């Protein structure tokens, strides 16, 4: 168990970019890149099947109604009241659904959750306060909260597939069309939105907005085939503000926006790259000491 966690931390460390002011240096040695890809393929085959993990990690990697909490909101219910959407029980939102209004679906990223009021779910509050929308939030914090970035990253395809089935079930209720759906995803949540859009069977999703789609595993040290792309919806728009570090830098949508060049630091919101948080260095050191 401990050695498996060490492997995760070591590999995550290799994925990290070194950022100095505006200069971004990539780990680009071909042999090292090959090693990273090999390790990540191993993790996809072994870790996602839960080999070597105890019950806690099996639960964390399960895509169920506890770890992936989907809630329905609207202005009639208010910002403090929501209806839980359980898989295959989507019909329970029928009596609360506001007809003829579009649907906004909000998905957070790594280390985030709906409990963080200043996170991406402030968008939910804004839509409810303005009114005129049905709103769904996907809180996958039970998985995204793991500091070993690779685990949540490797789970994006499974979570996106789950969301696509939920939305297909809602469309089948006859209360909306797939083109009325707008997915808004931040970081890894943007790639979850892309997977959802690529897998939904009831018709092409109307729009996906990617807010800094995650870069590690999708643009560099690439291991994931399913990342956000323009074919995932009728219209895909992406805002890049950390391209080349924690976010992708290449254009992947019908419309891509690069405020201030699309890279860090962004004026007024950059307080320094905290490398130790990204790679979980503290936990790695503690585990090393335990093994001695």
């Amino acid at each position: 168990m401990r050695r498996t966690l060490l492997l995760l931390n070591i590999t995550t460390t290799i994925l990290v970019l070194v950022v100095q002011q505006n200069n971004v240096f990539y780990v680009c040695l071909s042999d090292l890149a090959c090693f990273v890809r090999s390790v990540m393929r191993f993790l996809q085959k072994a870790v996602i099947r839960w080999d070597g993990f105890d019950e806690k990690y099996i639960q964390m990697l399960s895509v169920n109604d506890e770890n992936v909490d989907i809630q329905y909101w609207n202005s009639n219910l208010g910002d403090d009241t929501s209806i839980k959407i359980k898989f295959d029980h989507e019909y329970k939102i029928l009596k609360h659904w506001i007809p003829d209004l579009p649907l906004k679906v909000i998905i957070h990223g790594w280390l985030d959750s709906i409990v963080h009021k200043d996170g991406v779910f402030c968008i939910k509050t804004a839509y409810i306060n303005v009114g005129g929308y049905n709103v769904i939030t996907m809180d996958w914090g039970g998985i995204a909260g793991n500091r070993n970035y690779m685990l949540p990253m490797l789970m994006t395809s499974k979570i996106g597939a789950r969301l696509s089935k939920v939305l297909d079930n809602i469309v089948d209720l006859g209360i909306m069309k797939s083109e009325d759906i707008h997915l808004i995803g931040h970081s890894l949540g943007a790639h979850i939105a892309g997977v959802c859009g690529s897998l939904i069977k009831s018709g092409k999703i109307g729009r996906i907005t990617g807010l800094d789609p995650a870069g590690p595993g999708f643009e560099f040290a690439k291991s994931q085939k399913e990342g956000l792309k323009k074919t995932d919806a009728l219209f895909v728009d992406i805002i890049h503000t950390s391209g080349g570090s924690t976010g992708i830098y290449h254009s992947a949508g019908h419309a891509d926006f690069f405020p201030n060049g699309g890279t860090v630091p962004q004026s007024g919101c950059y307080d320094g790259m905290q490398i130790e948080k990204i790679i979980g260095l503290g936990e790695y050191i503690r585990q090393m000491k335990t093994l001695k």
Side-chain angles (χ1 to χ4, degrees), residues 81-203:
T81 304
S82 62
I83 308 299
K84 184 176 179 64
I85 302 176
K86 291 187 176 182
F87 185 61
D88 278 341
H89 291 77
E90 292 83 1
Y91 62 88
K92 291 189 176 181
I93 67 172
L94 278 173
K95 63 180 180 180
H96 303 284
W97 188 268
I98 304 178
D100 303 320
L101 293 183
L103 172 64
K104 304 291 183 179
V105 182
I106 304 164
I107 313 161
H108 66 81
W110 181 43
L111 299 181
D112 202 358
S113 170
I114 197 169
V115 300
H116 302 146
K117 299 297 184 181
D118 57 347
V120 70
F121 287 124
C122 66
I123 300 173
K124 175 266 297 182
T125 300
Y127 277 126
I128 291 173
N129 290 341
V130 170
Y133 302 97
N134 294 292
V135 180
I136 284 177
T137 57
M138 171 182 266
D139 182 0
W140 59 293
I143 299 171
N146 190 284
R147 290 189 176 275
N148 287 308
Y149 170 81
M150 290 180 60
L151 288 176
M153 182 266 290
L154 292 172
M155 290 295 291
T156 54
S157 58
K158 289 181 176 290
I159 297 168
R162 176 68 162 226
L163 180 59
S164 71
K165 293 176 182 178
V166 169
L167 294 180
D168 272 330
N169 288 344
I170 293 176
V171 172
D172 288 344
L173 294 174
I175 56 179
M176 69 169 184
K177 298 179 180 179
S178 54
E179 56 261 36
D180 295 325
I181 300 173
H182 178 193
L183 303 181
I184 304 169
H186 171 241
S187 180
L188 288 178
H191 296 302
I192 290 174
V195 171
C196 173
S198 69
L199 295 179
I200 197 165
K201 298 178 180 179
S202 52

Side-chain angles (χ1 to χ4, degrees), residues 22 37 41 46 53 60 67 75 77 107 112 129 148 152 161 173 259 265:
N22 292 326
R37 285 194 296 270
R41 288 194 188 104
F53 280 84
M60 186 199 72
N67 277 347
S75 54
L77 293 169
I107 313 161
D112 202 358
N129 290 341
N148 287 308
L173 294 174

Side-chain angles (χ1 to χ4, degrees), residues 2-22:
R2 289 172 179 169
R3 295 186 183 278
T4 305
L5 289 175
L6 281 178
L7 175 61
L8 291 172
N9 277 305
I10 291 170
T11 310
T12 306
T13 303
I14 294 172
L15 294 177
V16 172
L17 297 173
V18 179
V19 179
Q20 294 181 345
Q21 301 300 325
N22 292 326

Side-chain angles (χ1 to χ4, degrees), residues 42-57:
F42 163 77
L43 289 172
Q44 283 181 300
K45 293 179 180 179
V47 174
I48 298 306
R49 291 175 184 173
W50 310 320
D51 294 346
F53 280 84
D54 61 15
E55 185 177 348
K56 171 186 174 183
Y57 279 84

